[in-house]
Amino acid sequence: MTKALPSVSRPATPGFATFDEPHHSLLIDGDGEPDFDAIQTSEDFLALKRRVKRFILPATLLFLAWYVTFVLLSAYAAEFMSTPLFGTVNVGLTMGFLQIVTTVIITMAYSRYSKRQLDPQVDKVRALVETDEELA
Amino acid sequence: MTGANTAINLSVFGIFVLLTLYVVYRVSTRNVSASDYYAAGSSFTGTQNGIALSGDFLSAASFLGISGAIAVNGYDGFMYSIGWVVAWLIGLMLISERLRNTGRFTMGDVMAFRMRQRPVRAAAANSTLVISLFYMIAQMAGAGGLMALLLDVHSKIGQAIIIAVVGIVMVLYVLVGGMKGTTWVQIIKAVLLILTVSLLTIFLIGKFGFDLSSILDRATQRSPLGEAVLSPGVKYGASDLSKIDFISLALALVLGTASLPHVLMRFYTVPNAREARKSVVWATWMMAIFYSCTLVIGFGAMALVGTDKITNAPGGENSAAPLLAFQVGGTVLLGIVCAVAFATILAVVAGLTLTASASFAHDVYANVIKHGEADPRDEVRVARITAVCVGVLAIAGGIAANGQNIAFLVALAFALAASANLPTLLYSLFWKRFNTRGTLWSIYGGLTSCVLLIIFSPAISGSKSSVFPDADFAFFPLSNPGIVSIPLSFLAGFLGTIIGGEKADAAKQAEMEVRGLTGIGSGLR
């Protein structure tokens, strides 16, 4: 993004603390509001974005591909989907049930990943601005 | 229906209505501020909201429609179940947390966050109102058909009166309880529904010696289609066109769920993004259990009741679950299942009414008409008046659409949501350059193309099962428009942004991205 654009309705004063304002942490602007431009380019925030992307991009592509495969096979490979697997239960019904199972697995994996990898990083980013909010 | 005990049905249902009205009344004595009315003061936990989410989502179409679709069409009916479970992954990973962090009450809050407020909010409200009304009319129409089956009310006037009663009770929930009361209604209903469905499933599996294969085996013997019901293609396999219709339906199911306005609005009832995430995790578990059960109930109904008896019953496909209940548990179980089905309709319609009224009051009245300077008390008053108007419209629409196929009408609402809302939400959350013009193009592009394609589809005219069977202006061959209108909306949003209009507001984009991921600046903990 271009930082040259004028920011709307927010004072353009850069948010860097001086020794006169000991309560201000780095990423808060002159009015004590979070300086979003500075946060957006901060190392901690970029690390958070990378971690988010590392999970949701492959996971989303994976489950969509798996779902579309199932739908296409159901539409165009009915023969294959009707192959019996055990008793009267065929490939299609099993695959359909597995869609539900994988949904639960991905959900739990994301929940676990968030708790371990994302939430602590969110707290780190929030700490960049929180000093001031708490004192205010 | 044979042996239907109207007294039992009515009393179980009556108890539910009285109980929920009492709960709604008790929880909502201090229901004054806009935040209380729209978002229950964001005071629910992730667990509570997760259960309420499943309550809001599991409509009569899910319970009666899907078990019926499976009981009649077998495999092709099962498709609905799968799409509606898988869809929650989009809500979980892409939407819920960011929505909670960036918005306050409505979908418009998020879409307009970094755009010009008035046109975008108006567009978001239009889309919310159209989708909610569509969905609501489907539910109300279902209520009429159900009554024919459950209470032995066969005259059109009798059914119209019942639709009106359902409408009045749901407006009462919303007026008295606001979001808090409505959420408790959802929780009570979701627990009742899941319990009923699970117990019925366990009973069925037990009856067949814990062997799923033998249920299916028996089912194929009772279906005129024989073994074919276990394979894809019974309903959608006839031609290349019907196969594309099937893919179109599958797309709408998976992409529409997480962009339904009443589902989106639920995420505002929790205090922060972590609780929003927890809600989806809970909701996903509930959905996984529920829809796995519909498979057993659907094939169970096929096995025990028989497809012919179901299709010839007064409610048609929709009567599969009640008929099965009567078969295995007599009038008492039938009464319970019917009451749960009513409760389901009532609760879902209440959730939709609240969403539609919030969108009108918050987006249109407060932000478009009053330029964001409305008195919050006036805003809530407008929301309440809107709720009454929406209720009246839904009653009228429900009476007019009485007798239409509910699962199908609901699927169209999903196509609308997937076309008008999902592309816009994803672009505004994930694409830096996305601007006001792109937003308007993708909302209106998706909404109008989808509505037009529905009007000119076989769903409305040209075939025996159409709304107007005698007319024929169906030049669009698919009954579900998703496969055309969803990509079209993505394309419109992209082109609108690329072709021009003002540049995206970089400062607002920074704020939205930081706030969406971390909650900084939202005031949420």
Side-chain angles (χ1 to χ4, degrees):
Chain A
M1 60 165 282
T2 45
K3 297 202 86 180
L5 277 173
S7 67
V8 179
S9 75
R10 192 180 307 127
T13 41
F16 297 107
T18 64
F19 289 107
D20 303 334
E21 299 167 295
H23 301 322
H24 281 208
S25 61
L26 276 175
L27 303 178
I28 293 166
D29 69 14
D31 288 353
E33 295 293 323
D35 182 345
F36 292 106
D37 288 340
I39 301 169
Q40 194 184 31
T41 46
S42 71
E43 198 38 57
D44 280 331
F45 184 74
L46 292 173
L48 172 65
K49 263 176 80 173
R50 275 196 301 274
R51 287 190 190 187
V52 169
K53 204 167 147 191
R54 196 189 302 153
F55 191 97
I56 66 169
L57 191 68
T60 304
L61 292 179
L62 185 82
F63 90 77
L64 281 180
W66 167 223
Y67 178 75
V68 169
T69 308
F70 170 74
V71 171
L72 290 179
L73 282 176
S74 299
Y76 296 103
E79 286 282 299
F80 167 71
M81 295 303 251
S82 352
T83 321
L85 269 189
F86 33 93
T88 46
V89 182
N90 59 27
V91 175
L93 288 173
T94 313
M95 244 181 156
F97 185 68
L98 282 180
Q99 292 278 342
I100 297 180
V101 174
T102 49
T103 300
V104 170
I105 291 173
I106 296 176
T107 302
M108 295 321 284
Y110 176 72
S111 171
R112 195 180 142 106
Y113 182 82
S114 297
K115 273 186 202 128
R116 298 189 174 187
Q117 301 286 324
L118 302 183
D119 291 351
Q121 190 66 23
V122 168
D123 291 338
K124 250 188 192 172
V125 178
R126 289 185 73 126
L128 296 174
V129 293
E130 227 140 53
T131 340
D132 196 72
E133 281 181 5
E134 275 159 16
L135 288 171
Chain B
M1 192 171 69
T2 43
N5 193 328
T6 311
I8 291 182
N9 291 351
L10 264 184
S11 53
V12 180
F13 182 55
I15 290 168
F16 174 83
V17 170
L18 289 179
L19 178 81
T20 46
L21 277 177
Y22 175 72
V23 170
V24 165
Y25 172 73
R26 280 302 300 269
V27 298
S28 57
T29 39
R30 291 171 295 106
N31 194 32
V32 279
S33 79
S35 163
D36 284 333
Y37 180 80
Y38 296 138
S42 300
S43 59
F44 281 98
T45 66
T47 310
Q48 289 169 329
N49 189 46
I51 298 172
L53 253 180
S54 43
D56 237 337
F57 185 70
L58 296 173
S59 61
S62 294
F63 178 38
L64 302 174
I66 293 189
S67 44
I70 295 175
V72 173
N73 295 318
Y75 190 98
D76 282 6
F78 187 37
M79 191 62 230
Y80 282 96
S81 306
I82 296 162
W84 277 336
V85 175
V86 173
W88 288 89
L89 287 173
I90 292 181
L92 176 73
M93 292 193 286
L94 303 179
I95 310 265
S96 69
E97 297 171 52
R98 287 166 187 79
L99 186 91
R100 170 62 279 196
N101 277 336
T102 46
R104 284 179 68 211
F105 302 139
T106 63
M107 182 178 83
D109 286 344
V110 179
M111 289 179 173
F113 192 94
R114 59 193 176 95
M115 311 299 168
R116 270 188 295 131
Q117 294 289 314
R118 296 180 68 200
V120 173
R121 282 190 182 273
N126 275 328
S127 136
T128 301
L129 289 172
V130 170
I131 296 165
S132 304
L133 263 179
F134 222 96
Y135 206 124
M136 220 178 325
I137 288 170
Q139 301 291 330
M140 301 290 268
L146 254 175
M147 288 299 167
L149 175 71
L150 312 175
L151 297 185
D152 252 352
V153 180
H154 290 284
S155 71
K156 282 285 172 201
I157 294 172
Q159 292 179 12
I161 292 171
I162 288 156
I163 290 177
V165 169
V166 170
I168 290 165
V169 175
M170 112 214 156
V171 170
L172 267 183
Y173 283 151
V174 173
L175 289 187
V176 178
M179 184 50 119
K180 201 177 208 175
T182 311
T183 304
W184 279 109
V185 174
Q186 306 294 4
I187 292 175
I188 295 170
K189 165 237 152 154
V191 169
L192 279 177
L193 181 60
I194 302 261
L195 269 181
T196 310
V197 167
S198 322
L199 290 176
L200 200 56
T201 303
I202 292 170
F203 175 83
L204 279 172
I205 296 184
K207 193 174 168 72
F208 283 91
F210 295 94
D211 181 7
L212 192 62
S213 179
S214 80
I215 298 186
L216 298 181
D217 200 33
R218 182 74 192 282
T220 55
Q221 291 164 15
R222 296 292 299 272
S223 165
L225 298 157
E227 298 269 334
V229 286
L230 302 181
S231 311
V234 168
K235 189 162 184 214
Y236 294 101
S239 66
D240 283 341
L241 206 60
S242 67
K243 284 175 182 174
I244 294 175
D245 220 354
F246 174 77
I247 296 169
S248 189
L249 170 73
L251 268 184
L253 296 179
V254 83
L255 299 178
T257 302
S259 37
L260 286 170
H262 66 298
V263 167
L264 294 175
M265 201 171 158
R266 281 248 139 256
F267 295 122
Y268 297 128
T269 65
V270 293
N272 57 42
R274 284 171 204 182
E275 293 296 317
R277 181 201 307 147
K278 204 167 144 196
S279 327
V280 191
V281 173
W282 269 86
T284 306
W285 274 104
M286 307 274 285
M287 301 296 158
I289 294 170
F290 179 85
Y291 286 111
S292 304
C293 291
T294 58
L295 182 66
V296 177
I297 291 178
F299 280 114
M302 195 192 280
L304 292 179
V305 184
T307 305
D308 289 339
K309 194 170 165 195
I310 294 169
T311 39
N312 293 328
E317 278 187 27
N318 296 329
S319 62
L323 285 175
L324 177 69
F326 180 66
Q327 185 94 13
V328 300
T331 44
V332 177
L333 191 58
L334 175 69
I336 292 171
V337 165
C338 297
V340 169
F342 284 138
T344 292
I345 293 179
L346 208 51
V348 169
V349 186
L352 287 161
T353 307
L354 185 76
T355 308
S357 73
S359 180
F360 183 80
H362 183 63
D363 290 328
V364 177
Y365 173 75
N367 281 295
V368 176
I369 298 177
K370 293 278 176 181
H371 298 268
E373 278 158 19
D375 178 354
R377 280 174 181 277
D378 286 341
E379 195 181 319
V380 173
R381 200 168 62 232
V382 170
R384 292 202 155 123
I385 295 169
T386 317
V388 176
C389 299
V390 168
V392 171
L393 273 178
I395 292 171
I399 291 171
N402 188 8
Q404 295 294 317
N405 176 337
I406 22 177
F408 177 71
L409 285 174
V410 165
L412 291 182
F414 276 75
L416 280 168
S419 310
N421 299 345
L422 188 75
T424 318
L425 278 174
L426 290 184
Y427 277 144
S428 65
L429 289 170
F430 295 98
W431 188 27
K432 263 183 194 174
R433 285 186 59 187
F434 195 47
N435 63 17
T436 302
R437 176 177 293 184
T439 308
L440 295 175
W441 283 28
S442 67
I443 296 177
Y444 286 124
L447 196 64
T448 46
S449 66
C450 197
V451 169
L452 285 177
L453 290 179
I454 290 173
I455 291 175
F456 294 113
S457 78
I460 298 294
S461 72
S463 83
K464 272 193 308 229
S465 53
S466 305
V467 179
F468 303 109
D470 301 327
D472 187 359
F473 45 89
F475 63 79
F476 181 69
L478 302 178
S479 50
N480 198 305
I483 202 166
V484 177
S485 60
I486 300 169
L488 196 79
S489 169
F490 271 108
L491 185 72
F494 177 76
L495 288 180
T497 303
I498 294 293
I499 283 172
E502 63 235 69
K503 264 193 143 174
D505 182 339
K508 277 301 220 184
Q509 193 277 331
E511 181 176 350
M512 188 174 185
E513 184 174 87
V514 169
R515 191 165 151 174
L517 277 179
T518 64
I520 291 171
S522 63
L524 306 175
R525 288 264 132 198

